[in-house]
Amino acid sequence: SQQGEEDPQALSIQEGENATMNCSYKTSINNLQWYRQNSGRGLVHLILIRSNEREKHSGRLRVTLDTSKKSSSLLITASRAADTASYFCATSREDTSYDKVIFGPGTSLSVIP
Amino acid sequence: EPEVTQTPSHQVTQMGQEVILRCVPISNHLYFYWYRQILGQKVEFLVSFYNNEISEKSEIFDDQFSVERPDGSNFTLKIRSTKLEDSAMYFCASSEWTGRNTIYFGEGSWLTVV
């Protein structure tokens, strides 16, 4: 299976702390995307990182990609209560099946005010 | 900012009934997708659609399911005879090109089969 696997499954931190979530995958990818989902809501796209990129930033978000280890990390700095959500990585395979992305099971982040 | 819109937001249906979920993808996008998420579980790929035909589908997308782009703006998912296990949040998504580009999701349609 190409799907990403996030770790940890659940993370609880205090407001102001940094949160790091990791994603591992099994097959070579074209890109990896991170999404956020508030409870019962839709999937909000955060960042797309391509296989030839190592790091991307967007506001308080930093994503890294290590294709040799088949892993990615999402760092949220200076967390806020509003960051409480589930975070998913989704991978697009390099060889075939590039019409879709496959999601991992997600990390549930709780930011305590 | 352009967005994917879905209707209805919530539908309750009797087992065995047909359901149509509707989506309006982002206007200049060419690839369309349906995903589903059973409560508390991960997001699962159902089908991708390009150039008026299915480009890929998962094992979940059996003969009970069909997709259609009836006009230039709508993209629908039909479930012919719903089962209890079809209860889930169904997400429509679109991308400008293939999954190699950002895929944008709608807010979802929550389907409850009773």
Side-chain angles (χ1 to χ4, degrees), chain A residues 36-53:
Chain A
R36 184 186 75 230
Q37 184 182 34
N38 290 86
S39 181
R41 301 295 302 275
L43 294 155
V44 175
H45 184 263
L46 297 176
I47 288 185
L48 179 152
I49 186 165
R50 301 196 185 278
S51 59
N52 61 353
E53 297 175 311

Side-chain angles (χ1 to χ4, degrees), chain B residues 36-86:
Chain B
R36 80 172 185 190
Q37 185 180 33
I38 295 170
L39 186 63
Q41 298 188 24
K42 65 182 179 184
V43 179
E44 300 174 291
F45 170 78
L46 293 179
V47 66
S48 60
F49 190 87
Y50 170 70
N51 200 25
N52 278 321
E53 60 183 27
I54 290 173
S55 52
E56 190 162 358
K57 61 183 181 180
S58 71
E59 315 79 57
I60 303 168
F61 194 88
D62 60 22
D63 292 342
Q64 294 284 86
F65 293 89
S66 63
V67 289
E68 192 179 33
R69 188 155 163 82
D71 53 44
S73 58
N74 291 285
F75 179 51
T76 62
L77 174 69
K78 181 191 291 185
I79 309 173
R80 259 179 274 283
S81 178
T82 51
K83 307 169 196 167
L84 295 176
E85 55 265 36
D86 293 328

Side-chain angles (χ1 to χ4, degrees), chain A residues 3 35 37 41 50 99 101, chain B residues 33 35 42 55 100 103:
Chain A
Q3 64 198 36
Y35 289 85
Q37 184 182 34
R41 301 295 302 275
R50 301 196 185 278
D99 287 3
V101 293
Chain B
Y33 313 83
Y35 285 74
K42 65 182 179 184
S55 52
R100 297 184 180 201
I103 296 182

